[in-house]
Amino acid sequence: MTERMVGKQAPRFEMDAVLANKEFGKVSLEENMKEDKWTVLFFYPMDFTYVCPTEITALSDRYDDFEDLDAKVIGVSTDTIHTHLAWIKTDRKDNGLGTIKYPLAADTNHVVSRDFGVLIEEEGIALRGLFIINPEGELQYSVVNHNNIGRDVDETLRVLQALQTGGLCPANWKPGQTTL
């Protein structure tokens, strides 16, 4: 039986990453918490695949919206930082990412994917998991879906905004509407 994570402190992590400036560096939940930022942490299966670049570039294209909400986005797969960089250096028209506005982290030892419950052990890759963590480190939202289905950036932004209201948001709530 899987243990509940939402409403509890998120697993802490620090990973090597390719930063938005295409340099190698580190990303960590602790750093985002020190900066009083929300964290949108998403896992994807592998670099150089078909659905993944559509999600990664869609999130990058809307990154300013996440920044406006005091959120940092971090993408994670079990690939290496060198593979991430090669994919970033590949043009979008050639199934690459081109320039993206947030880091891609490398969970090569599978620790973070396992901690967040998205690792497909027998394949060594992650499911499509998305987690929203508040600035205090509490996991507020978790969704995991099959690797064949990409995620909706508008829905991720809507959920982030709903969480930030601190109120009760009814079904079909949209930003700007009243809470319960």
Side-chain angles (χ1 to χ4, degrees):
M1 184 55 101
T2 304
E3 184 180 326
R4 171 183 68 87
M5 292 176 57
V6 173
K8 295 183 177 183
Q9 286 292 300
R12 298 303 192 257
F13 61 82
E14 179 178 271
M15 293 177 279
D16 292 330
V18 177
L19 306 177
N21 63 6
K22 298 181 183 172
E23 293 181 6
F24 295 139
K26 300 254 185 211
V27 292
S28 74
L29 180 56
E30 293 292 332
E31 189 61 34
N32 289 355
M33 291 170 61
K34 284 180 195 170
E35 294 177 17
D36 200 33
K37 299 290 186 182
W38 289 75
T39 301
V40 177
L41 180 71
F42 75 95
F43 293 84
Y44 64 95
M46 293 187 323
D47 295 346
F48 292 100
T49 57
Y50 297 101
V51 176
C52 297
T54 66
E55 288 188 306
I56 293 168
T57 58
L59 282 160
S60 181
D61 292 345
R62 301 288 301 279
Y63 189 74
D64 292 343
D65 295 330
F66 287 97
E67 273 193 325
D68 290 345
L69 296 170
D70 289 324
K72 296 206 171 195
V73 176
I74 301 171
V76 183
S77 81
T78 57
D79 293 300
T80 68
I81 54 175
H82 302 286
T83 305
H84 289 340
L85 183 59
W87 201 22
I88 289 168
K89 287 183 173 182
T90 303
D91 193 88
R92 287 185 183 190
K93 68 178 175 22
D94 297 321
N95 199 38
L97 299 177
T99 299
I100 59 172
K101 296 181 180 179
Y102 59 85
L104 291 183
D107 183 27
T108 54
N109 62 7
H110 306 170
V111 169
V112 181
S113 299
R114 190 175 290 114
D115 286 349
F116 278 85
V118 297
L119 183 65
I120 303 171
E121 293 278 351
E122 60 276 13
E123 295 180 40
I125 62 172
L127 289 165
R128 290 188 196 286
L130 185 134
F131 303 88
I132 299 178
I133 305 164
N134 74 13
E136 292 76 40
E138 182 182 319
L139 182 60
Q140 298 277 297
Y141 178 78
S142 169
V143 63
V144 179
N145 56 279
H146 193 280
N147 282 338
N148 291 344
I149 303 164
R151 290 160 280 208
D152 186 303
V153 177
D154 288 331
E155 176 61 5
T156 302
L157 285 163
R158 186 193 75 82
V159 169
L160 177 60
Q161 289 169 304
L163 291 168
Q164 290 178 347
T165 69
L168 301 173
C169 297
N172 301 318
W173 177 89
K174 300 282 188 247
Q177 293 178 339
T178 59
T179 58
L180 300 176

